[in-house]
Amino acid sequence: MERKMLAFFSFFLLLVPAEVFAVDFGINNADIQAELDREGNAFVTERYTYEFDGDFNGITRQIKPKAGTAVTGFSASEGAKKLEVEQYGDLYKIHRTGGDETITIQLSYTISNAVEKFEDGAQFFWPFFDDRNVKTYQDLDITVSPPAAAQEVEYLGYEEAYGTALLSKDGSVTFTLGDVPAGANGDIRVIYAPELFPAADLKPGAVKNDLINDRNRLAIQQAAFEKNQQTANIVGLAALPVAAFMIAFLFGLAFRKRRRALQDFNAQDTGAFVPDDELSIPAAIYFTKSPFLGPNALAAALVELVRKGLVQQHSEDQYELVSRKTELLHELTLIKLLFEQIGDGTQFQLSDIETYTKNKTNHIPYNDSLSDWNEQVAQEVRQKNLYENHSGIRWLSVGLCTAFAALAFYTARYDLYMEMAFFGFSALAALLFAVFYMPLAARGRRIKAQWKRLGKALKKMPAEHWEQLSQNEWMRVYAFNLGCETTPINRPSAVLALSDNRANQLDQDGFYLNTLLLTGIFMAASSNTIAEADGSTFADGGVGDAGGGSGAF
């Protein structure tokens, strides 16, 4: 029967962050025996084989009874040894510590008033598990036994239990479910002659016709399902080569366009050794290195404010605001953060940043300002038209993603898991292509090549060669190198190996370049403002909102 596309959703859950179990375990075997008595109670024995990977403290079993019933006398054992049980509402915690081992636990309990006796039959209709279950049952069997030998027996399994029942000569019914995925339902229903339960309360009405009607309805649904499954299989097999061709076409087209663009670009002159001032330094870092600008990029942005004369540096630690006149919105945002939020409006010290971020009440406004700053740097890059406009190809990939996702849902609906997996990966590939396919325009390719060439040169050129740069060029190179580092730059770095004349000139011009202090302060601020988040889950239930599941702790 249809599995409500559980397999498809499970496939996509593998691609995104998901809930992580506190204990790594599997349930390799599960056997449930329900013996009915003449009063209509069910004596249940459950055996579970758990395989643990790592340390554990025990297992759990949730049993939510139907209205009018009750679960009593719950106990647990391992072989002849009784185990400690704690109850929290419908949840039972069975204590058994260990690590890296396979154990078999037996649970026993009684369901009072489990059998509903009507004029034409007495039914046991029960969900031993439902969508609250968080772990797959492997090799699950459920057996229902009458209080005495029975001849007239009606039985039916729902959802995962459909078509799994086998009647024994004594009237026992065994549902051989096999592997049952987490989050699945599988109610079981057995109807015996009411005479077998003389002490059970008689309810008005009949019940057999309800089961027969359900059986006929499910049989019709199963026949329709199998017919639709054949159709889906034909559609899926026909669409497989088309999907493979379209994915190959997308990525092949991107590869050819990139190779052609590189050939055309390599035949051209890449321009000046130090790139022109077409992009601000934070934007150049964003464009050539990473869209996630960290503490070092902030330090580089502050150096840029000093280089442009918007901020005056009085010492390694002391800064004064000179002007707010800038065409770049991200520079204005950084000025507001440093001089208004952290400083006194006109001045601030580097040490003020760490003091400000140690106060937890400042974490949100600080992070909000940095988020605005990062977005505004990205906005500068977007406004420079550094990427080609290929909206047609992008919309094609979005359309293919939609089509492949629809085919994945369609094939998953009819349990065609191979096709589902292929179309799912195809949809993901098309989606990633739509998101990340951004070929560079000629200008963007030139700018990126210049900065990359400069980055390579920083690692190889002798220090004396930097004396040939103007002070403005040198400061831009310094800021770029500073922002691209993931750790503080050490003194022997080529771009920092200044001659005494250059160092003295920088000090006289009001540039006090203490790299370790600059990067260290912004890294400390980043460490102080790290945030955390959490989440929660929920589920429904089986027949009569009853059910439960198994777990471990």
Side-chain angles (χ1 to χ4, degrees), residues 409-428:
F409 275 97
Y410 178 55
T411 52
R413 180 181 178 86
Y414 296 107
D415 296 348
L416 301 174
Y417 302 122
M418 183 194 73
E419 291 91 337
M420 175 211 72
F422 180 84
F423 291 126
F425 278 116
S426 298
L428 180 63

Side-chain angles (χ1 to χ4, degrees), residues 42-190:
F43 298 96
V44 181
T45 302
E46 302 181 352
R47 291 182 179 86
Y48 298 99
T49 300
Y50 278 71
E51 182 177 355
F52 288 96
D53 184 7
D55 295 336
F56 62 93
N57 293 308
I59 70 170
T60 65
R61 179 72 167 100
Q62 183 182 14
I63 308 172
K64 184 177 181 181
K66 293 167 58 176
T69 68
V71 173
T72 60
F74 188 96
S75 64
S77 61
E78 182 181 13
K81 181 181 179 181
K82 284 272 191 181
L83 299 178
E84 178 187 354
V85 176
E86 287 184 282
Q87 182 178 354
Y88 302 91
D90 300 328
L91 180 68
Y92 300 86
K93 297 182 69 175
I94 298 92
H95 291 266
R96 199 290 198 184
T97 59
D100 293 322
E101 58 182 305
T102 299
I103 63 173
T104 299
I105 303 296
Q106 177 174 302
L107 310 178
S108 301
Y109 58 91
T110 300
I111 306 174
S112 302
N113 302 319
V115 175
E116 301 170 289
K117 187 170 75 170
F118 296 89
E119 295 173 0
D120 65 339
Q123 75 169 356
F124 178 69
F125 194 4
W126 195 262
F128 282 102
F129 62 90
D130 67 356
D131 52 11
R132 280 168 282 218
N133 182 46
V134 298
K135 201 69 172 179
T136 295
Y137 290 117
Q138 298 181 31
D139 196 16
L140 172 61
D141 293 336
I142 301 175
T143 301
V144 180
S145 302
Q151 299 299 322
E152 298 180 6
V153 184
E154 298 286 350
Y155 50 88
L156 182 63
Y158 295 80
E159 299 192 44
E160 292 296 320
Y162 180 81
T164 65
L166 180 66
L167 177 65
S168 300
K169 291 183 179 180
D170 63 353
S172 298
V173 180
T174 298
F175 296 85
T176 306
L177 285 81
D179 294 349
V180 178
N185 290 301
D187 305 337
I188 57 110
R189 190 177 191 179
V190 182

Side-chain angles (χ1 to χ4, degrees), residues 305-306 308-314 319-325 335 339 345-347:
L305 294 180
V306 175
K308 291 184 174 182
L310 300 173
V311 172
Q312 184 176 357
Q313 189 176 11
H314 295 295
Y319 294 82
E320 180 181 0
L321 179 61
V322 176
S323 173
R324 299 174 185 268
K325 294 182 180 181
I335 288 173
F339 289 94
T346 58
Q347 295 189 12

Side-chain angles (χ1 to χ4, degrees), residues 289-312:
K289 294 296 181 180
S290 171
F292 305 104
L293 301 178
N296 283 60
L298 277 172
L302 177 56
V303 172
E304 270 289 273
L305 294 180
V306 175
R307 182 187 70 84
K308 291 184 174 182
L310 300 173
V311 172
Q312 184 176 357

Side-chain angles (χ1 to χ4, degrees), residues 274-289:
V274 178
D276 296 333
D277 203 357
E278 298 178 77
L279 286 177
S280 69
I281 293 301
I285 297 169
Y286 179 99
F287 179 60
T288 61
K289 294 296 181 180

